[in-house]
């Protein structure tokens, strides 16, 4: 949930009474929650809709605030953030009202006008690669 906050600083992760780690604001990219060790496996399934809801709220807030660079990078990171969670949940999160295979669907999802547009310096192809979108 760190990525969903406004804070850009690091956090402390307490594993045990004697084991504390400092985590950076982008550590979620390297250590998705779904790839963690769960003592109760059904918790992984319960967590998936929570992560999906957090992603949706953050994406909506960024778009409404006009913070499109952050919106695009979070949208592209959605798939990696859902690693290890039930596959159906991951695909539902990636889907929108625009079909993935629909011509122009990628540009519309990322709020781009043209495939040549450099979104705040980032070419659409980079966003597609980061998202793992082979249809863009």
């Amino acid at each position: 949930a760190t990525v969903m906050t406004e804070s850009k600083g690091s956090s402390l992760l307490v594993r045990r009474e004697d084991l504390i780690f400092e985590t950076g604001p982008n550590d979620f990219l390297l250590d998705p929650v779904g790839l963690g060790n769960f003592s109760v496996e059904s918790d992984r399934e319960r967590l998936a809709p929570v992560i999906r809801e957090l992603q949706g709220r953050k994406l909506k807030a960024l778009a409404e605030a006009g913070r499109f660079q952050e919106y695009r990078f979070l949208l592209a990171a959605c798939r990696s953030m859902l690693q290890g969670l039930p596959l159906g949940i991951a695909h539902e999160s990636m889907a929108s009202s625009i079909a993935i295979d629909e011509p122009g669907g990628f540009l519309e999802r990322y709020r781009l006008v043209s495939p040549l547009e450099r979104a705040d310096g980032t070419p659409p192809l980079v966003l597609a690669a980061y998202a793992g979108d082979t249809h863009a």
Side-chain angles (χ1 to χ4, degrees):
T2 303
V3 71
M4 306 305 164
T5 69
E6 290 297 317
S7 171
K8 301 290 186 219
S10 50
S11 301
L12 294 178
L13 173 64
V14 179
R15 294 266 186 191
R16 298 188 313 246
E17 180 179 310
D18 62 335
L19 189 58
I20 300 173
F21 297 99
E22 181 178 8
T23 62
N26 295 318
D27 282 4
F28 71 93
L29 295 170
L30 303 173
D31 198 13
V33 68
L35 296 179
N37 296 322
F38 288 80
S39 57
V40 178
E41 190 57 35
S42 63
D43 287 348
R44 187 183 316 271
E45 291 176 24
R46 285 191 212 138
L47 187 59
V50 174
I51 299 296
R52 193 175 78 221
E53 178 69 22
L54 288 170
Q55 285 177 334
R57 286 182 185 189
K58 182 67 174 191
L59 285 167
K60 182 179 179 190
L62 290 171
E64 288 174 354
R67 295 165 53 188
F68 294 111
Q69 182 178 20
E70 292 171 80
Y71 168 87
R72 290 176 183 118
F73 277 102
L74 178 59
L75 183 60
C78 282
R79 172 175 264 146
S80 66
M81 290 171 61
L82 293 169
Q83 286 181 62
L85 296 176
L87 189 58
I89 299 296
H91 286 299
E92 287 175 32
S93 176
M94 294 303 294
S96 66
S97 58
I98 306 158
I100 287 177
D101 292 330
E102 184 179 316
F106 173 85
L107 296 176
E108 193 171 335
R109 272 194 319 281
Y110 283 84
R111 301 185 183 217
L112 298 166
V113 177
S114 156
L116 302 176
E117 178 183 350
R118 294 180 72 85
D120 301 307
T122 306
L125 185 58
V126 171
L127 292 170
Y130 183 50
D133 188 341
T134 59
H135 299 289

